[in-house]
Amino acid sequence: MCPKITIEYEQERRCHILDAAAWCFARKGYQATTIDAVAMQAGLSKGAVYVYFSSKEALLLEVVEYQQTRIAEKLARVLPEKGAALEKLEAYAAAYFSMLGEGKAGECSDLKVAVQLWAELAKNEKTVAALQRDYSYWRTTLAGLIREGITQGEFAHHLDPDMTAMSLLAAIDGFIWQSLWLGEDFNWQAAHDALMALIRDGLVKRR
Amino acid sequence: MCPKITIEYEQERRCHILDAAAWCFARKGYQATTIDAVAMQAGLSKGAVYVYFSSKEALLLEVVEYQQTRIAEKLARVLPEKGAALEKLEAYAAAYFSMLGEGKAGECSDLKVAVQLWAELAKNEKTVAALQRDYSYWRTTLAGLIREGITQGEFAHHLDPDMTAMSLLAAIDGFIWQSLWLGEDFNWQAAHDALMALIRDGLVKRR
Amino acid sequence: MCPKITIEYEQERRCHILDAAAWCFARKGYQATTIDAVAMQAGLSKGAVYVYFSSKEALLLEVVEYQQTRIAEKLARVLPEKGAALEKLEAYAAAYFSMLGEGKAGECSDLKVAVQLWAELAKNEKTVAALQRDYSYWRTTLAGLIREGITQGEFAHHLDPDMTAMSLLAAIDGFIWQSLWLGEDFNWQAAHDALMALIRDGLVKRR
Amino acid sequence: MCPKITIEYEQERRCHILDAAAWCFARKGYQATTIDAVAMQAGLSKGAVYVYFSSKEALLLEVVEYQQTRIAEKLARVLPEKGAALEKLEAYAAAYFSMLGEGKAGECSDLKVAVQLWAELAKNEKTVAALQRDYSYWRTTLAGLIREGITQGEFAHHLDPDMTAMSLLAAIDGFIWQSLWLGEDFNWQAAHDALMALIRDGLVKRR
DNA sequence: GATGAATGAGGTTTCATTCAT
DNA sequence: GATGAATGAAACCTCATTCAT
């Protein structure tokens, strides 16, 4: 009586399409990606996409969420550590930059996918909310680390933990854009080193 | 016998349309902006836009150039100074952040317009080249300042001037995005302060 | 699971649209025919036309090919004969003129459709090539017949078979135009008779 | 009180524009020719064309009339002769074919201009009327010649003078098309010779 | 008369979405 | 569930025509 497809099967299908969509969005952007292209990339027909997603916009929303979840999971695996705040921060940064640099120069890693969609997301209430939530999560996490460092006398007490965390996130986002424009000329390792050097000790020479 | 319009009038018209286009692009993005919308914003008919610009893409290219020129002009007026490298850098940053924060919270300043177009520009060879040139200019300028500071013993000699300059530019670009998403919640003054504090002395407490 | 349409069905659809397009082109010409008009004539929506033909020009190309094929098929059925060259030529001509005259006076037979498109085709490299091939085929066929007649002592030996063939084809094309302009006043039977009389014996009275 | 431009000047202006229009129409066809192109070819502004012609269609109509007049004038100068009907006919044909072949292979002589417009003209009541009148004139003229030849016992009496005239006109029109398609490969002299040979004695060998 | 900026209707083409099979 | 033919709303762009100068 019930040839109902299992939930696992459905989930698998959805993820399959989401991967295809992410791949397309990253390469062409949201607007220039056609449902046909997503279907073809997924090896399905146009109609099949609509079985799992009600509209192109819904697909975008889920792609964003899916990417955020995957990135958070990847990082979560790396970070839980003990020790000095600076060491934790460095571990975080190392993980993050390693993720960013992992694809080949021209390739589109998960994070780059996300960036390609920002302009689109900024126009949509729902996606802006999702981005705000995501940003809020990372800001809180980083700010917590910084606050911990200040409390322990490791970091300068004049720092504003929240805005400092925002500054770090901003720098990373900016690097992602730079990597998109400069292509092969962008050196993630150098970017990582320069940012960490700056963060650790600042510009001004210590006496 | 000769109602041939003056070149000044034509330039004025072009700028008028460019302003309208920038306004639309900033709000809706390039793809979602229709020529009709630009024309309406400029108080003209669709056809009139095509008298001055040969295509939608040509309009985009000129908007980008126009914005870059205006921003560069604004900054050029502020910066030529003498004194310590840090002071110069601070002057630059102050000018830049002031420009960024000047529009009302929800408004679209020139820079925000530019950011809205990044995703589009990243897909177009010509615009990528324009962006690279622009980036190159700012990187060179900032890196020069940093190098000067190092030479004069003011900045730490272990810094890589170029990549450090890139980090600063990245942070600013990242802030612009944050301001788009967070809207009124984003505080440019706080961002400015936090970034400068971070840059000056870094995270690690000085003994 | 598989509503994939059969190839036969697709061919039928294509022909259906080609017929509609030929009908429109014949009446209005290529330029003045809108895709909407073709779609309406075919009882479809504008979009459906683009499912089968990639552009208006592609549609034109296929219409021409389709018409040429149909005409050639019609004639091929009539002509293979034995006997005197003049008889063969007369059979050809009879078949051709009968085709030309078959539609009602105001109607557009296949050939008239083709003529309507000539001015358009003359501007397009690909279609010019197609026309040249078509012309070449008929010239070769007719010239062969004439050469045969000369060899057998039936036709005058001072004739240039190729150019004489071209003259006959020219006369027929010219008649097609005349029929378009003169409408009901044009009498295909009379045209046929006059041309054959002229061809057979020329103007000059035989002694 | 009267800076009114002389009628001569106006006529000159009109002809100047008509020449420019004919040139454009011949090269691009009516539909693909823009008023701008005509104006540019005439060295005037778009608006100036509208001073002398009320619309693009009016321009077309006058171009056709202008061409017809010029062709008729050219021929009228050549033909008034005395002598045998065949000689007169040959004189006519020689003049006509010489006109047709005069431009360089790729060039557009007056007649070719006209042909380019036929498809357009066939759709317009007024122009169809003009064409019918023109055709009627030539048919009458030629038919008169043929009738004269018959009466004088020079031409075969079984010929239908009117339809025979139509056949000759048709052949010439057909040659014009052939020359458009075949370009440099078309040989007007050979066409002339072949047609005259055919007309004179027909295909069938005389004993 | 002459100019050319401005208009806006209309054409081709794309593509998200629907639905019969 | 899956398919892809069909739809039709828009989008970009062209160009005949008008009209203030």
Side-chain angles (χ1 to χ4, degrees):
Chain A
M1 249 287 177
C2 222
K4 196 171 60 175
I5 259 57
T6 61
I7 292 187
E8 286 79 25
Y9 179 74
E10 187 183 324
Q11 268 309 320
E12 186 190 306
R13 274 301 217 217
R14 290 176 66 86
C15 288
H16 185 60
I17 295 172
L18 287 173
D19 281 331
W23 193 88
C24 294
F25 288 162
R27 246 143 278 257
K28 297 272 209 171
Y30 172 74
Q31 300 267 10
T33 295
T34 65
I35 294 286
D36 246 344
V38 173
M40 188 164 303
Q41 176 65 21
L44 293 167
S45 74
K46 207 172 356 192
V49 175
Y50 280 89
V51 172
Y52 297 98
F53 301 91
S54 63
S55 72
K56 195 184 174 188
E57 192 188 331
L59 193 52
L60 172 65
L61 261 52
E62 296 221 28
V63 163
V64 172
E65 201 182 320
Y66 183 57
Q67 298 281 332
Q68 287 181 350
T69 308
R70 278 180 42 172
I71 292 167
E73 280 174 0
K74 278 192 192 174
L75 283 188
R77 248 177 276 135
V78 190
L79 32 120
E81 310 187 16
K82 298 170 193 167
L86 185 60
E87 279 166 22
K88 286 188 189 170
L89 199 67
E90 283 175 334
Y92 247 121
Y96 213 87
F97 273 93
S98 134
M99 273 179 56
L100 285 164
E102 72 193 7
K104 283 179 196 130
E107 288 294 303
C108 283
S109 70
D110 285 343
L111 276 165
K112 291 177 198 165
V113 172
V115 176
Q116 266 288 356
L117 300 176
W118 282 358
E120 196 56 39
L121 305 179
K123 286 174 245 153
N124 184 308
E125 276 189 36
K126 289 181 213 152
T127 46
V128 163
L131 283 170
Q132 288 178 348
R133 243 173 307 148
D134 198 49
Y135 236 93
S136 183
Y137 167 74
W138 292 110
R139 187 189 56 209
T140 308
T141 306
L142 282 184
L145 253 179
I146 293 167
R147 199 168 281 113
E148 185 186 324
I150 295 174
T151 309
Q152 296 173 352
E154 193 180 347
F155 291 165
H157 52 63
H158 67 274
L159 294 167
D160 171 342
D162 273 312
M163 285 313 293
T164 305
M166 291 293 266
S167 303
L168 299 182
L169 291 172
I172 287 171
D173 290 346
F175 277 144
I176 297 175
W177 275 111
Q178 289 180 8
S179 76
L180 277 179
W181 291 330
L182 303 179
E184 310 237 352
D185 295 340
F186 189 81
N187 183 338
W188 279 105
Q189 187 57 51
H192 181 197
D193 293 344
L195 185 62
M196 289 316 293
L198 190 60
I199 281 173
R200 230 187 319 254
D201 299 314
L203 287 172
V204 179
K205 191 174 190 176
R206 305 214 166 199
R207 269 151 299 147
Chain B
M1 193 188 270
C2 221
K4 170 78 175 176
I5 255 59
T6 61
I7 292 187
E8 286 80 27
Y9 179 75
E10 187 183 324
Q11 268 308 321
E12 186 191 306
R13 267 330 217 194
R14 289 177 67 86
C15 288
H16 183 62
I17 295 173
L18 286 174
D19 282 332
W23 193 89
C24 293
F25 289 163
R27 245 145 278 257
K28 296 273 210 168
Y30 172 74
Q31 301 266 12
T33 296
T34 68
I35 293 286
D36 250 340
V38 173
M40 189 162 304
Q41 176 64 23
L44 294 166
S45 73
K46 200 178 353 197
V49 175
Y50 282 93
V51 171
Y52 296 97
F53 301 92
S54 61
S55 70
K56 196 184 173 188
E57 191 188 333
L59 193 53
L60 172 65
L61 260 55
E62 295 223 29
V63 164
V64 172
E65 202 182 319
Y66 183 57
Q67 299 282 334
Q68 286 182 351
T69 307
R70 278 176 44 169
I71 292 168
E73 278 174 2
K74 278 192 192 173
L75 283 188
R77 249 177 277 135
V78 189
L79 29 122
E81 312 189 14
K82 296 171 193 164
L86 184 61
E87 277 166 22
K88 287 187 190 169
L89 200 68
E90 282 176 334
Y92 247 120
Y96 214 88
F97 274 93
S98 136
M99 273 179 57
L100 286 164
E102 72 191 6
K104 295 202 184 99
E107 288 295 301
C108 282
S109 69
D110 286 342
L111 277 165
K112 290 177 199 164
V113 172
V115 176
Q116 265 291 354
L117 298 176
W118 283 356
E120 196 54 41
L121 304 180
K123 284 175 240 152
N124 183 310
E125 275 191 37
K126 288 181 214 151
T127 46
V128 163
L131 284 170
Q132 288 179 350
R133 244 173 305 141
D134 200 48
Y135 235 95
S136 183
Y137 168 73
W138 292 112
R139 187 191 56 210
T140 307
T141 305
L142 282 184
L145 254 182
I146 294 168
R147 197 170 283 113
E148 187 186 320
I150 295 174
T151 309
Q152 296 174 349
E154 194 179 344
F155 291 165
H157 51 62
H158 68 273
L159 293 168
D160 172 342
D162 273 311
M163 285 312 294
T164 304
M166 291 293 267
S167 304
L168 298 182
L169 292 171
I172 287 171
D173 290 344
F175 277 144
I176 297 175
W177 276 110
Q178 289 179 10
S179 76
L180 277 180
W181 291 329
L182 304 178
E184 310 238 352
D185 296 341
F186 189 81
N187 182 339
W188 279 105
Q189 187 57 52
H192 180 198
D193 294 343
L195 185 61
M196 291 315 294
L198 189 59
I199 281 172
R200 232 187 318 254
D201 299 313
L203 286 172
V204 178
K205 192 173 188 177
R206 305 210 165 197
R207 272 152 295 147
Chain C
M1 194 191 268
C2 221
K4 169 79 176 175
I5 255 60
T6 62
I7 291 186
E8 286 81 25
Y9 179 75
E10 186 182 324
Q11 268 309 319
E12 186 191 307
R13 267 328 216 196
R14 289 177 66 86
C15 289
H16 182 62
I17 294 172
L18 286 173
D19 282 331
W23 193 90
C24 293
F25 289 163
R27 245 144 278 256
K28 298 272 209 168
Y30 172 74
Q31 300 266 11
T33 295
T34 66
I35 293 286
D36 249 341
V38 173
M40 190 162 303
Q41 177 64 22
L44 293 166
S45 72
K46 203 173 355 193
V49 175
Y50 282 91
V51 171
Y52 296 97
F53 301 92
S54 61
S55 70
K56 196 184 173 188
E57 191 187 333
L59 192 53
L60 173 64
L61 260 54
E62 295 223 28
V63 164
V64 173
E65 202 182 319
Y66 183 58
Q67 299 282 332
Q68 287 184 349
T69 308
R70 278 176 44 168
I71 292 168
E73 279 173 2
K74 279 191 192 173
L75 283 188
R77 249 176 277 138
V78 189
L79 29 121
E81 311 189 15
K82 296 170 194 164
L86 185 61
E87 278 166 22
K88 286 188 191 169
L89 200 66
E90 282 176 334
Y92 247 120
Y96 214 87
F97 273 93
S98 133
M99 272 179 58
L100 286 164
E102 71 192 6
K104 295 203 183 100
E107 287 296 299
C108 282
S109 70
D110 287 342
L111 275 166
K112 292 178 199 164
V113 172
V115 176
Q116 265 291 355
L117 298 177
W118 283 356
E120 194 55 40
L121 304 180
K123 285 176 240 152
N124 184 310
E125 277 190 35
K126 287 180 213 153
T127 47
V128 163
L131 283 171
Q132 288 180 346
R133 243 173 307 145
D134 200 47
Y135 234 94
S136 184
Y137 168 73
W138 292 111
R139 187 192 55 211
T140 308
T141 305
L142 282 184
L145 254 180
I146 293 168
R147 198 169 282 113
E148 186 187 322
I150 296 173
T151 310
Q152 297 173 350
E154 192 179 347
F155 290 165
H157 50 66
H158 68 273
L159 293 168
D160 172 342
D162 273 311
M163 284 313 292
T164 304
M166 290 293 266
S167 303
L168 299 182
L169 292 171
I172 288 171
D173 290 344
F175 278 145
I176 298 175
W177 276 111
Q178 290 179 10
S179 76
L180 277 179
W181 292 329
L182 304 179
E184 311 238 352
D185 296 340
F186 190 82
N187 183 339
W188 278 105
Q189 187 58 52
H192 181 198
D193 294 344
L195 185 61
M196 290 315 294
L198 189 60
I199 281 171
R200 231 184 321 252
D201 299 313
L203 286 172
V204 179
K205 191 173 188 178
R206 306 211 166 198
R207 271 151 296 147
Chain D
M1 244 298 174
C2 223
K4 197 171 60 175
I5 258 57
T6 61
I7 292 187
E8 286 78 27
Y9 179 75
E10 186 183 325
Q11 269 308 320
E12 186 190 306
R13 275 303 217 216
R14 290 176 66 85
C15 288
H16 185 61
I17 295 171
L18 286 173
D19 281 331
W23 193 89
C24 293
F25 289 162
R27 247 143 276 257
K28 298 273 209 169
Y30 173 73
Q31 300 268 8
T33 295
T34 64
I35 294 285
D36 247 345
V38 173
M40 189 164 303
Q41 177 64 24
L44 293 167
S45 74
K46 208 174 351 191
V49 175
Y50 281 89
V51 171
Y52 296 97
F53 301 91
S54 63
S55 72
K56 195 183 173 187
E57 193 188 332
L59 194 52
L60 172 65
L61 260 54
E62 296 222 28
V63 164
V64 172
E65 202 182 319
Y66 182 59
Q67 299 281 331
Q68 288 182 349
T69 308
R70 279 178 44 170
I71 292 168
E73 280 175 0
K74 278 192 193 174
L75 283 188
R77 248 175 276 135
V78 190
L79 32 118
E81 312 187 15
K82 298 171 192 166
L86 185 61
E87 278 165 22
K88 286 188 190 170
L89 200 67
E90 282 175 335
Y92 248 120
Y96 214 87
F97 273 94
S98 135
M99 272 179 56
L100 286 164
E102 71 192 7
K104 283 179 196 128
E107 288 295 302
C108 283
S109 69
D110 285 343
L111 276 166
K112 291 178 198 164
V113 173
V115 177
Q116 266 291 354
L117 298 176
W118 283 356
E120 196 57 40
L121 304 181
K123 285 174 246 153
N124 185 309
E125 275 189 37
K126 288 181 214 154
T127 47
V128 163
L131 284 169
Q132 288 179 348
R133 244 173 305 143
D134 198 49
Y135 236 93
S136 184
Y137 168 74
W138 292 111
R139 187 190 58 212
T140 308
T141 305
L142 282 183
L145 254 180
I146 293 167
R147 197 168 283 114
E148 185 187 322
I150 296 173
T151 309
Q152 297 175 347
E154 192 179 348
F155 292 165
H157 52 63
H158 67 275
L159 294 168
D160 171 343
D162 274 311
M163 284 314 292
T164 305
M166 291 294 266
S167 304
L168 298 182
L169 292 172
I172 287 171
D173 290 345
F175 277 144
I176 298 175
W177 275 110
Q178 290 178 10
S179 76
L180 277 181
W181 291 330
L182 304 178
E184 310 237 353
D185 296 340
F186 189 82
N187 183 340
W188 278 106
Q189 187 58 52
H192 181 196
D193 294 344
L195 185 61
M196 290 316 292
L198 188 60
I199 282 172
R200 232 185 319 252
D201 300 313
L203 286 173
V204 178
K205 194 174 189 174
R206 304 211 167 198
R207 272 150 298 144

